[in-house]
Amino acid sequence: MDDGSIFTNFRPLYIFFIMIQAVSWIVAVSRKKQCKPINEAAISSISFICLVVSAFMTYQIGILSDELAIGGDPVSFIMFIVVMIMSIVNFLVIYLNRNNEK
């Protein structure tokens, strides 16, 4: 097995988390007072779980690259940064929507 292909196995998971974050952002932005398909706690917990799991995967990539004495995967790190930014944006959208409803 090629050493560089180890990191490509993590990429579909990062892409999946990015898609989850995008869908939850769309739901959070388009929420109306009458029609709430998902509440703030669910969106917050989904964003938090995606952030924690992707941070753990990035940590594991670091451990693997250290053990195998190869460089890390910059694409996976950029995907982690995207997941982190989208999680922060989701938390901000929920917080701002909550303040606007009052």
Side-chain angles (χ1 to χ4, degrees):
M1 183 176 203
D2 185 23
D3 290 336
S5 68
I6 293 172
F7 301 123
T8 59
N9 294 333
F10 287 104
R11 289 181 188 171
L13 294 172
Y14 282 113
I15 292 170
F16 180 67
F17 288 141
I18 290 171
M19 290 185 334
I20 288 174
Q21 292 287 356
V23 168
S24 64
W25 178 76
I26 290 169
V27 168
V29 168
S30 65
R31 287 183 342 122
K32 306 274 190 256
K33 284 188 176 185
Q34 296 82 16
C35 179
K36 292 185 178 182
I38 190 166
N39 62 3
E40 295 97 358
I43 294 174
S44 298
S45 62
I46 288 170
S47 294
F48 183 72
I49 289 170
C50 288
L51 181 64
V52 168
V53 172
S54 63
F56 180 73
M57 288 189 325
T58 304
Y59 178 72
Q60 291 300 317
I61 287 173
I63 290 174
L64 284 172
S65 64
D66 185 44
E67 291 293 326
L68 297 173
I70 57 176
D73 186 22
V75 175
S76 295
F77 182 70
I78 291 171
M79 287 184 188
F80 167 69
I81 297 296
V82 169
V83 169
M84 185 176 63
I85 290 171
M86 291 180 81
S87 294
I88 292 169
V89 167
N90 278 339
F91 288 129
L92 289 175
V93 166
I94 290 168
Y95 178 74
L96 295 175
N97 278 348
R98 188 181 301 171
N99 286 343
N100 288 340
E101 287 179 359
K102 290 181 181 180

